Amino acid sequence: MSVLSFIPQVWSARLQESLHKSLVFGNLCNRNWEGVITKYGDTVHINNLADITVKPYTPNVDIDDPEELSTTDTTMTINHAAYYNFYINDVDAAQARTDLMEAAMRNAAIKLAEDTEDYILGVIRTHAGTQTTGPIPAGGVYELLVNIKTAMDDLNVPRVGRKLVVPPSVEGQLLLDNRFITGNGAISDARLAEGSIARAVGFDIYISSDLSDEIIAMTSDGVTFAQQLSEIEAYRREKGFDDGVKGLSLCGAKVVIPDCVYIHTITKE
């Protein structure tokens, strides 16, 4: 691997693939408004459609004139940027250089994913429509999930596409509950590929080590996320005999439907 043989498009694709596999929250958001991101501070415009009026129909009576569709404009700013910058020394064995690059790019993707998850999680925590606290009820974590489901039902949150993200400790408690084990059923290959480990009380369940005492319920429609690996390039270091690689990631996230994001923080009794 050298500067002359470095193909940015190839390595950018590999980095993007590894980054995608390492994300949890980033994969649960919608990317409907990603558009074209070129620089830090870019603005993505999100048009939210107002409800359409449904009226009673009376035979032989003219219907009303059509109503004009109206939208509200919400903006999401690309306000988070992160970069990596590393080099491979010329004295490394030639046959090992591609392997080193593969390992380095995978590691860069993991670290970018960690940085991105922290950013998205911060946005979700700040703008979630419902935030509650309380101990695990007498019926255990499973009962708590039922309570969260019921609360989202009361808010008319669509049942299709509900996601639940829990910390490993909560997963452990669920695995000890026969209601969870017997009610989970078979996990489809599609959901396994997306990182879901189970399904219960209407939620696809995901695990995140970024959580310790929080359970986050959401739908993809509730949070939008946009990311662009805007730069990736190789260069020769001026003060050395080695090849350097640097890259820049730009992203933004926004809670667009607060009612579709529910956070419960577990407290001790």
Side-chain angles (χ1 to χ4, degrees):
M1 180 58 62
S2 68
V3 170
L4 294 178
S5 62
F6 184 88
I7 303 175
Q9 294 84 352
V10 171
W11 289 102
S12 180
R14 295 188 189 182
L15 179 67
Q16 185 74 60
E17 181 181 5
S18 296
L19 175 61
H20 180 79
K21 289 180 180 178
S22 300
L23 292 172
V24 176
F25 287 99
N27 288 332
L28 301 185
C29 302
N30 75 74
R31 298 198 177 194
N32 299 340
W33 312 98
E34 199 153 41
V36 178
I37 303 170
T38 59
K39 63 183 184 301
Y40 185 89
D42 278 356
T43 298
V44 177
H45 290 272
I46 303 169
N47 288 317
N48 294 315
L49 180 67
D51 288 339
I52 295 174
T53 305
V54 176
K55 306 173 184 178
Y57 173 72
T58 303
N60 302 317
V61 175
D62 291 344
I63 65 174
D64 293 342
D65 292 334
E67 63 181 318
E68 181 181 358
L69 293 179
S70 60
T71 61
T72 55
D73 181 49
T74 301
T75 59
M76 174 177 63
T77 304
I78 306 305
N79 58 3
H80 185 77
Y83 75 93
Y84 58 89
N85 186 13
F86 62 87
Y87 70 89
I88 301 175
N89 196 282
D90 281 351
V91 300
D92 293 325
Q95 63 270 24
R97 291 170 67 80
T98 298
D99 292 340
L100 281 172
M101 177 64 76
E102 289 275 9
M105 294 303 281
R106 283 197 302 269
N107 188 262
I110 291 171
K111 293 305 177 182
L112 280 178
E114 291 175 355
D115 178 80
T116 302
E117 290 282 74
D118 286 344
Y119 166 71
I120 297 173
L121 190 51
V123 172
I124 289 174
R125 283 170 171 157
T126 302
H127 300 287
T130 303
Q131 301 198 38
T132 63
T133 60
I136 295 174
V141 172
Y142 193 86
E143 180 180 330
L144 177 57
L145 300 193
V146 173
N147 294 341
I148 293 173
K149 171 198 175 299
T150 302
M152 296 185 79
D153 287 343
D154 290 339
L155 292 171
N156 295 317
V157 176
R159 293 190 176 192
V160 176
R162 290 186 184 180
K163 317 291 185 183
L164 195 77
V165 189
V166 302
S169 60
V170 169
E171 179 196 16
Q173 294 181 61
L174 285 172
L175 291 174
L176 295 173
D177 193 317
N178 286 330
R179 293 169 297 178
F180 175 75
I181 296 171
T182 58
N184 183 45
I187 305 174
S188 71
D189 291 340
R191 283 197 284 115
L192 282 173
E194 293 172 356
S196 173
I197 57 97
R199 182 169 177 82
V201 298
F203 294 101
D204 286 336
I205 300 178
Y206 299 78
I207 308 302
S208 173
S209 58
D210 290 322
L211 304 180
S212 58
D213 55 3
E214 296 165 297
I215 295 176
I216 298 180
M218 60 183 286
T219 69
S220 295
D221 290 338
V223 186
T224 191
F225 170 62
Q227 185 174 38
Q228 176 69 50
L229 300 177
S230 63
E231 301 286 346
I232 179 171
E233 62 182 66
Y235 63 95
R236 287 293 293 179
R237 284 213 312 159
E238 181 181 353
K239 297 181 178 180
F241 299 97
D242 34 56
D243 293 332
V245 177
K246 57 185 177 181
L248 176 65
S249 168
L250 303 174
C251 65
K254 190 176 184 69
V255 175
V256 291
I257 309 178
D259 281 349
C260 289
V261 183
Y262 188 109
I263 300 178
H264 179 84
T265 301
I266 300 171
T267 59
K268 295 181 179 180
E269 295 186 73

